[in-house]
Amino acid sequence: MEKNKLPRRGVLALTALLAVLAGALSLCLGAAAVPPGELWAALTGRGEGTGAAILLYVRLPRTAGCMVAGAALAVAGAVIQTVLANPLASPNVVGVNAGAGAAVALCCAAAPTAAGLTPLAAFAGAFGSAMLVLGVARRAGASRMTLILTGAALSSIFSAVIDLAVTVAPDALNGYTDFRVGGLGEVTMARVAPAAAVGGVCLLGVLLLTNELDLLALGGETARSLGLRVERMRVALLALAAGLAGAAVSIGGLIGFVGLIVPHLLRRFLGEESLPLVVGCAFGGAALLTVCDTAARTLFAPYEIPVGVALSLGGGPFFLWLLLGRKGGGRH
């Protein structure tokens, strides 16, 4: 075990460094480049002029939103994959993101001025969707293809709910296109702060339950024989994953594939132990979404591509590779 600790710590340190560098690049790069010295001055309250205003009121909320949403989606993906015993599961694949989005759309249509309720609505929608998927997994024996098809069906239903809400109340979702494909162009600190609070509480809950997550990874019967209340723990962990996914959706809309790509990549370096994997996913998800968003808004300037489009272009082929490589019709 001692031989594995140093490389694992090195990987975690590297993912943390990548997250910090991604955040710094996001703040510095844009239509008006900001040198690192001016960035530090603005963040410490000593900056003046247009550059400082752009940093504090435009780029800082967007970067914070990227890091919170990316970390939340990646950790949610790692938890969902373990709880459902399905390596192909992730918040967007099994319909959790779409459930959160539908709840947000209905909340905005019913109470347009109650922006503070958005994270709670997103959690409720994500949790309801996760419970539906868990119910199907129990009845169908957690067949990989069954879960994927269930997620596709739920996503279609919830997408129709979103379209219905926008049709009935056209002003319900400001920036509807960005919300539907996933984008952070309209993010403000007022939206990020409550989502970050919900996500932080849920992340802490997952960290406290990593031992139980390791037991679930051994299989339901083995975990039960070791004294774990399997069904209760599955519901509790899915509730935490739903909170994380809901927090991300309330910030950036229906962003996909972060919760699929990051856990798979980091398992290759960190192994299956849940504690380092969850910590690594938090840093890795923050880094991935921030880098993708920075690229999406700078590479084709003055045009800006929603980050969800960039992630789908890369995440779609990645999902197909996993599906074909693992012969998705089998069981985990």
Side-chain angles (χ1 to χ4, degrees):
M1 291 295 294
E2 292 298 322
K3 292 182 180 180
N4 293 331
K5 283 187 178 180
L6 186 58
R8 184 176 288 170
R9 290 174 181 172
V11 172
L12 291 176
L14 179 60
T15 56
L17 178 61
L18 288 175
V20 172
L21 291 176
L25 283 174
S26 177
L27 291 171
C28 290
L29 297 181
V34 177
E38 190 173 339
L39 167 64
W40 180 251
L43 293 178
T44 55
R46 295 182 288 107
E48 298 178 354
T50 304
I54 291 173
L55 279 170
L56 294 177
Y57 300 111
V58 178
R59 293 189 191 166
L60 183 59
R62 184 164 185 161
T63 301
C66 283
M67 302 193 83
V68 171
L73 288 172
V75 174
V79 172
I80 290 172
Q81 287 166 12
T82 300
V83 172
L84 298 181
N86 191 322
L88 299 176
S90 71
N92 69 297
V93 172
V94 299
V96 172
N97 277 5
V104 169
L106 291 174
C107 178
C108 292
T113 59
L117 296 177
T118 299
L120 295 177
F123 165 75
F127 181 68
S129 180
M131 290 300 100
L132 285 174
V133 172
L134 181 60
V136 172
R138 288 174 179 168
R139 291 181 62 87
S143 165
R144 286 180 187 165
M145 187 54 68
T146 299
L147 285 177
I148 301 306
L149 293 174
T150 301
L154 289 176
S155 295
S156 178
I157 293 169
F158 291 136
S159 293
V161 172
I162 296 172
D163 290 337
L164 177 63
V166 173
T167 300
V168 173
D171 297 328
L173 284 176
N174 292 324
Y176 170 67
T177 301
D178 278 356
F179 179 86
R180 187 66 181 269
V181 300
L184 295 109
E186 305 295 328
V187 171
T188 63
M189 277 300 185
R191 189 192 300 181
V192 173
V198 172
V201 170
C202 292
L203 176 59
L204 178 60
V206 172
L207 290 172
L208 293 174
L209 294 175
T210 49
N211 289 334
E212 288 78 1
L213 201 57
D214 284 331
L215 291 179
L216 280 178
L218 299 174
E221 293 301 322
T222 302
R224 198 172 285 109
S225 70
L226 294 172
L228 185 69
R229 295 182 175 181
V230 173
E231 299 307 321
R232 288 188 181 183
M233 191 51 58
R234 281 176 174 160
V235 171
L237 286 166
L238 281 178
L240 293 172
L244 289 165
V249 169
S250 70
I251 293 173
L254 306 184
I255 297 171
F257 294 108
V258 175
L260 182 71
I261 295 171
V262 175
H264 273 279
L265 292 180
L266 288 179
R267 278 193 176 97
R268 294 177 177 269
F269 301 100
L270 296 173
E272 297 290 341
E273 188 179 343
S274 295
L275 180 57
L277 180 63
V278 167
V279 174
C281 282
F283 288 129
L288 175 63
L289 186 56
T290 305
V291 167
C292 289
D293 182 66
T294 303
R297 65 181 172 81
T298 58
L299 290 181
F300 302 97
Y303 302 103
E304 180 176 321
I305 299 173
V307 67
V309 173
L311 281 165
S312 294
L313 290 173
F318 184 84
F319 177 72
L320 290 175
W321 173 74
L322 287 176
L323 189 65
L324 296 174
R326 293 175 178 271
K327 296 179 181 178
R331 295 177 185 274
H332 183 50

